[in-house]
Amino acid sequence: MAGFVFIAVCIAGAFVLAMRRAPLWVWAAAVAAAVLAWRTGLVYGDWHEPTFNLLGLLAWLPVIVLAGLSVPAVRRAALIRPLYHKIKGILPRVSATEQEALNAGTIGFDAELFSGQPDWEKLRTVPPITLTEEEKAFLDGPTNELCRMVNDWAIRHNDKEIPEEVWSFVKKHGFLGMLISKEHGGLGFSAQAQSLILGRIASRSPDTVTIVMVPNSLGPGELIEKYGTPEQKHHYLPRLAKGLEVPCFALTGPTSGSDAATMRDVGYVTKGRHGGKEVIGIRASWEKRYITLAPQATLVGLAVRVIDTDNLLGRGEDLGITVVLVPADHPGVEIGRRHLPSGAAFPNGPVWGRDVFIPIDWVIGGEKMVGHGWRMLMECLAAGRAISLPSSSAAGAKSLLRNTSAYARIRKQFDLPIGKMEGLEEPLARMVENAYVIEAARGVTASMVSRGEKPSVISAIMKYRTTEGMRRSLNDAMDLHGGRGICDGQTNYLMAAYQAMPVAITVEGANILTRSLITFAQGALRSHPYLYKEIQACQDADEERGLEAFDTAFCGHVAFSLSSLFGAFFHNVTFGLFGHVPDKAYGTAEWYRQLWRASRNFAFVADLTVAVLGGGLKTKQKLTGRLADALSELYLLCCTLKRYEDDGKPANDRHIVALAAHNGLFRFQEAMRGTIDNFPVTAVRWLMRVVVFPFGAHYKPAPDWLGHKAVELVLTPGEVRDRLTRFIYVSNSADDPTGLLEVTMAKVVAAEAVEKKLDRAVRAGQVRRVHGTDWIGEAAKLGILGDGEVLLLREVEELTQRVIAVDHFDPAEVKPHYMMAGHNARAIRSAAAE
Ligand SMILES: Cc1cc2nc3c(=O)[nH]c(=O)nc-3n(C[C@H](O)[C@H](O)[C@H](O)COP(=O)(O)OP(=O)(O)OC[C@H]3O[C@@H](n4cnc5c(N)ncnc54)[C@H](O)[C@@H]3O)c2cc1C
């Protein structure tokens, strides 16, 4: 018995030391104490002098090894130096452009999730959504006005272009310069405000938001603001802020899409004439495509690789990617005709040039920034990717939910609002979850960017998860609307988003690439507590310095790995019961516990994956994609809990949070299971299985009743529905297709009891509801309905007919006349009229 207790104490001790990441000397001391207790009979209560036999000597061996390794000089000579050389060959090789990408941006809460022991307080210090009075006034003033004035159908179908009055309005009110500081004539709004403004416009018109989003995202404005010379700032920023310049940013070319860094666009450093004198510049040739706003741009931000064959700048030959500002009317700059991306109306087209002389002063940041373009782009992308597309995806998920739930309440089949049928409850519940979670993540991430973070891994998560989430909501919304969603026209409020969806999926890092390469494969290097330090140490030109840094990082890594292994196993066998919960987590403690446990599992599997696959990680994209899914589930669930707390834990929202938590943990589990089941090394696969799933996989998707509760909340007008769809543009005019939904839904809900009376009369055969009869009048004559009820039902009937109606056209109206001369439908039509 005493023997068992002794073994149990040893195991418990090992767990405690490993989980607390004890240093080597503590391990040595602990093992020494255990050996001493065993060899002296202390365990059995009969102390005696230790006997010196072979077993006794062998028992001290681990103590000697551990004690030896805890002496730095011994450890380095015996272990670290040989390992340092070996690991140099195994660790993923980092190219120069990857290095730039890795150095760009900041590490934030993603590192907490990689650590396996997230500090909840760090999450809580992210400010809740806050706007200044000026930002609020802009959101409720010019932004609402812009939303009211855009006619999405006319833009994307009739005119195939953004009307001049919309351009003038956005320029006049400074929409194009939201990120430009006040000092330079811009609005100087926070990332949170920009995100909310973009979202509100997106909820009205994907085309209109694009012309506002691009100047406020990765592009000349942001690059000049961050890296421009004083002259560039002074000249361009006020002009960009007022819309006197329309910018575009040209990076992508026919041969360089996702792999933009391998562009063939080149600029040779040379001398040439500019402004009447000879200056140093670059002679550039490029071919770019898909460039948003290019057909209308006056200023082109251009990325080219600069080569200085004659070493005129004195920095060697291949200087690397460089960003220049070229006026669109500069001789040799060619802006082509328009692409038609997904039938959208925002301007988009190719840009090219051959042997165009560009003075060196036009490099953003001047001569010293030649060759630093990739870093600049990655830096801005790290912030921009967290704002632009997540804001329009969140707005999309929210407006889809608002409009679809209204339609599902209004539209009846089988005498029942379709939203109350279980089959449709499933997609509606998904839409509720999506709208809540995406908005939660949008809000938290925008607050991080507002306080100065440029979270590169989180922004990748946000880009691919929010756009995928919106795609899911769109497909669900389409299914729920049936033919009403499919037939396009003035009253179709789904089609614009449906058409534009592939654009969001593709730009700013296409989703498959972002999921399978950027989020985990590069994210692991970024957010893992020790990996990048080890790589940097291995790449250090000074071997002794590198060795010392490697020693520190490696020892930390070993302690971290042991902690992850023992920690994950401990929390799995105890079902997360001891997971760390922050203060005052009333109502959400269980989700925090499970998140802690999940984070432990993620840290363990991620660490082992990186250690075992090393340089092969980048090619194992099915594994890295699943790990990206797992990491993103953790992040989204953290944001969901934070939103719930920031909103003051409204009682009704707890069902939605529970729905999201159940489903999020289940998806996390499936991502981990997929990773482990497909892990290519058998022994490691089994170790992962035993540690992560000692009793099998037991998370389940949210139970049906939770989905039912969530849908019930959104099918009824009120505070939950409003909160779920906050910050979007909501029309209350029956003359607007989405406003008509609002007005009709309110009437339908008010008329529910009366409708039931009428339905009963129809079922009983007292009145016949067919064309050519006045069934409401009949019911009134029979005394089934009173006068007020008749009025109400007639109104509901009239409104409902309008809601379910679809547009139809004269064949001549639907001819794609915009293609006839390649552009400008309005000019063609007015020419035809003349
Ligand atoms: C409407 C629109 C507007 C745009 N606006 C601009 C703009 O203003 N400025 C600009 O410079 N560019 C712009 N782009 C370009 C956009 O950024 C690129 O389309 C995008 O980077 C993808 O490149 P690609 O289309 O050539 O696809 P490809 O690079 O050919 O990719 C094809 C598929 O392969 C996947 N893939 C590629 N490499 C990998 C990998 N290593 N691992 C896993 N998957 C991978 C991608 O995810 C994608 O699914 C725009 C594009 C569109 C469609």
Side-chain angles (χ1 to χ4, degrees):
M1 182 61 191
F4 280 120
V5 173
F6 175 66
I7 291 169
V9 170
C10 287
I11 293 174
F15 268 87
V16 171
L17 292 187
M19 286 167 68
R20 296 196 163 268
R21 302 188 197 178
L24 272 171
W25 68 265
V26 177
W27 279 96
V31 177
V35 172
L36 198 65
W38 172 42
R39 297 303 301 153
T40 57
L42 194 64
V43 178
Y44 308 99
D46 57 345
W47 164 262
H48 55 76
E49 287 295 325
T51 45
F52 289 94
N53 53 22
L54 185 62
L55 184 65
L57 287 176
L58 278 179
W60 287 101
L61 198 60
V63 180
I64 296 165
V65 172
L66 287 169
L69 289 179
S70 54
V71 179
V74 178
R75 180 175 63 240
R76 280 181 203 161
L79 180 71
I80 300 295
R81 193 177 291 276
L83 209 62
Y84 178 66
H85 293 295
K86 190 156 177 54
I87 285 184
K88 266 188 172 196
I90 300 172
L91 281 176
R93 287 186 200 294
V94 182
S95 67
T97 41
E98 265 178 322
Q99 186 73 48
E100 296 268 16
L102 285 172
N103 291 341
T106 55
I107 304 163
F109 196 70
D110 42 325
E112 295 298 316
L113 297 172
F114 262 92
S115 77
Q117 292 168 296
D119 181 348
W120 301 129
E121 288 317 312
K122 282 199 180 153
L123 182 66
R124 285 182 164 180
T125 57
V126 177
I129 297 170
T130 29
L131 297 180
T132 63
E133 286 308 315
E134 188 191 355
E135 290 165 345
K136 270 187 219 152
F138 193 87
L139 189 62
D140 296 334
T143 313
N144 276 353
E145 214 178 319
L146 175 64
C147 290
R148 268 192 296 275
M149 76 192 279
V150 294
N151 178 343
D152 187 60
W153 171 248
I155 290 175
R156 75 185 162 88
H157 182 267
N158 298 346
D159 297 340
K160 277 279 175 226
E161 64 185 352
I162 306 292
E164 204 40 58
E165 57 270 25
V166 170
W167 273 110
S168 312
F169 187 87
V170 296
K171 286 176 183 176
K172 181 175 152 208
H173 288 276
F175 279 91
L176 305 188
M178 289 192 287
L179 64 73
I180 295 173
S181 59
K182 284 207 160 78
E183 180 198 347
H184 294 117
L187 294 176
F189 282 170
S190 66
Q192 187 66 260
Q194 288 176 50
S195 161
L196 291 174
I197 293 164
L198 291 174
R200 188 161 293 180
I201 306 170
S203 67
R204 196 67 174 155
S205 163
D207 282 303
T208 307
V209 78
T210 305
I211 67 159
V212 177
M213 187 188 287
V214 168
N216 284 292
S217 179
L218 180 65
E222 186 168 17
L223 292 169
I224 299 170
E225 180 79 42
K226 296 229 160 73
Y227 306 100
T229 60
E231 295 75 32
Q232 288 167 343
K233 287 184 183 175
H234 184 69
H235 177 73
Y236 281 119
L237 290 178
R239 294 178 61 76
L240 285 165
K242 289 193 193 79
L244 299 174
E245 300 278 2
V246 174
C248 69
F249 190 77
L251 174 66
T252 308
T255 55
S256 48
S258 301
D259 192 10
T262 57
M263 67 180 69
R264 297 176 186 181
D265 311 298
V266 68
Y268 291 100
V269 180
T270 182
K271 287 183 179 159
R273 294 203 68 77
H274 181 71
K277 51 183 181 184
E278 188 175 75
V279 293
I280 290 190
I282 56 172
R283 189 167 37 78
S285 296
W286 70 91
E287 189 181 354
K288 305 285 191 184
R289 65 175 180 182
Y290 305 150
I291 309 306
T292 303
L293 299 192
Q296 218 132 345
T298 58
L299 183 65
V300 181
L302 183 69
V304 291
R305 177 175 294 283
V306 169
I307 295 177
D308 188 2
T309 335
D310 301 328
N311 202 15
L312 290 177
L313 300 180
R315 285 165 45 195
E317 190 168 333
D318 191 351
L319 298 182
I321 292 170
T322 301
V323 186
V324 293
L325 288 168
V326 194
D329 58 3
H330 184 58
V333 176
E334 301 283 351
I335 296 194
R337 299 187 308 161
R338 289 179 55 178
H339 300 308
L340 283 180
S342 281
F346 63 82
N348 183 284
V351 184
W352 69 92
R354 287 282 169 275
D355 294 330
V356 179
F357 182 74
I358 298 170
I360 209 81
D361 288 353
W362 290 5
V363 171
I364 296 184
E367 185 187 317
K368 68 177 190 309
M369 293 308 275
V370 170
H372 294 293
W374 196 246
R375 170 82 192 258
M376 288 156 65
L377 293 176
M378 291 302 108
E379 198 85 41
C380 291
L381 195 61
R385 203 157 39 190
I387 300 299
S388 340
L389 291 164
S391 63
S392 43
S393 302
K398 289 182 286 182
S399 22
L400 286 165
L401 176 66
R402 188 158 188 116
N403 298 337
T404 306
S405 55
Y407 184 79
R409 183 72 198 253
I410 297 163
R411 172 68 168 167
K412 278 179 157 184
Q413 288 293 280
F414 303 95
D415 277 343
L416 205 62
I418 56 171
K420 298 202 171 175
M421 299 174 186
E422 281 211 358
L424 286 94
E425 213 171 71
E426 277 191 325
L428 266 176
R430 274 199 297 269
M431 293 181 74
V432 172
E433 183 187 333
N434 253 343
Y436 191 92
V437 173
I438 298 179
E439 166 61 15
R442 183 211 63 76
V444 173
T445 312
S447 290
M448 288 173 176
V449 177
S450 289
R451 68 175 184 184
E453 291 184 39
K454 299 185 196 96
S456 50
V457 177
I458 288 176
S459 71
I461 291 175
M462 288 299 290
K463 197 277 156 168
Y464 98 87
R465 286 305 302 261
T466 60
T467 51
E468 290 298 340
M470 182 181 164
R471 172 148 73 173
R472 186 80 204 245
S473 286
L474 253 173
N475 286 338
D476 284 336
M478 274 288 181
D479 290 354
L480 267 140
H481 277 78
R484 176 72 182 83
I486 293 163
C487 292
D488 204 2
Q490 173 80 42
T491 64
N492 188 319
Y493 42 84
L494 297 181
M495 194 57 85
Y498 195 73
Q499 282 182 330
M501 198 63 242
V503 177
I505 298 287
T506 302
V507 299
E508 295 201 1
N511 278 10
I512 298 178
L513 165 94
T514 305
R515 170 181 178 259
S516 52
L517 186 71
I518 295 175
T519 305
F520 183 80
Q522 291 181 0
L525 292 185
R526 211 51 230 270
S527 313
H528 188 287
Y530 298 101
L531 190 64
Y532 192 41
K533 289 180 190 147
E534 287 165 337
I535 293 177
Q536 279 181 317
C538 286
Q539 288 180 343
D540 199 323
D542 181 334
E543 171 136 345
E544 285 313 306
R545 192 178 52 199
L547 189 75
E548 196 177 324
F550 181 78
D551 180 26
T552 312
F554 182 77
C555 290
H557 195 159
V558 171
F560 168 71
S561 300
L562 281 175
S563 160
S564 298
L565 185 147
F566 281 87
F569 187 69
F570 172 76
H571 287 290
N572 287 323
V573 293
T574 53
F575 294 95
L577 204 66
F578 301 101
H580 181 62
V581 174
D583 284 348
K584 299 186 187 141
Y586 313 121
T588 48
E590 179 55 13
W591 305 128
Y592 276 111
R593 275 189 210 104
Q594 294 306 328
L595 257 176
W596 179 272
R597 172 188 177 189
S599 170
R600 275 294 207 181
N601 283 324
F602 176 78
F604 166 66
V605 172
D607 185 42
L608 208 51
T609 302
V610 171
V612 174
L613 298 183
L617 192 66
K618 280 191 271 183
T619 58
K620 288 281 171 209
Q621 294 195 341
K622 289 180 192 161
L623 293 188
T624 52
R626 290 189 184 103
L627 285 167
D629 290 343
L631 176 64
S632 58
E633 290 300 345
L634 297 183
Y635 181 67
L636 295 181
L637 187 47
C638 287
C639 294
T640 302
L641 297 184
K642 169 144 174 65
R643 169 185 174 168
Y644 181 55
E645 287 174 7
D646 287 350
D647 286 357
K649 299 188 181 176
N652 278 322
D653 287 12
R654 73 183 192 282
H655 296 302
I656 302 168
V657 172
L659 178 82
H662 273 292
N663 288 338
L665 287 168
F666 176 72
R667 287 189 297 264
F668 170 82
Q669 168 186 279
E670 294 307 292
M672 296 301 274
R673 207 146 64 138
T675 308
I676 294 172
D677 286 350
N678 292 286
F679 204 84
V681 182
T682 310
V684 178
R685 184 163 66 240
W686 278 104
L687 174 66
M688 286 178 173
R689 230 173 239 159
V690 169
V691 172
V692 178
F693 297 117
F695 305 124
H698 75 275
Y699 288 136
K700 293 194 171 58
D704 287 350
W705 70 266
L706 266 180
H708 174 75
K709 273 268 173 219
V711 172
E712 212 172 41
L713 290 167
V714 82
L715 285 178
T716 315
E719 45 113 21
V720 183
R721 182 177 153 77
D722 289 343
R723 196 165 42 247
L724 269 169
T725 58
R726 64 191 182 189
F727 301 127
I728 60 168
Y729 179 75
V730 177
S731 164
N732 285 307
S733 159
D735 294 330
D736 180 280
T738 55
L740 178 65
L741 288 168
E742 297 291 321
V743 174
T744 311
M745 184 184 190
K747 293 280 178 199
V748 164
V749 171
E752 198 169 49
V754 190
E755 279 248 41
K756 278 192 181 141
K757 276 204 233 173
L758 181 66
D759 287 345
R760 274 197 297 273
V762 172
R763 273 200 301 276
Q766 291 171 282
V767 291
R768 194 168 285 157
R769 193 156 43 187
V770 291
H771 287 303
T773 59
D774 175 13
W775 55 89
I776 297 175
E778 290 291 319
K781 268 192 222 150
L782 292 171
I784 297 167
L785 301 174
D787 288 349
E789 294 173 333
V790 167
L791 279 179
L792 185 58
L793 281 190
R794 285 202 193 285
E795 204 178 354
V796 167
E797 180 66 20
E798 190 262 327
L799 287 168
T800 304
Q801 287 308 318
R802 286 174 62 196
V803 165
I804 64 172
V806 297
D807 300 284
H808 46 93
F809 301 90
D810 188 275
E813 283 180 87
V814 290
K815 283 248 155 66
H817 42 271
Y818 58 87
M819 294 182 76
M820 280 159 35
H823 56 275
N824 207 335
R826 203 182 283 169
I828 295 163
R829 275 205 308 282
S830 54
E834 281 166 23

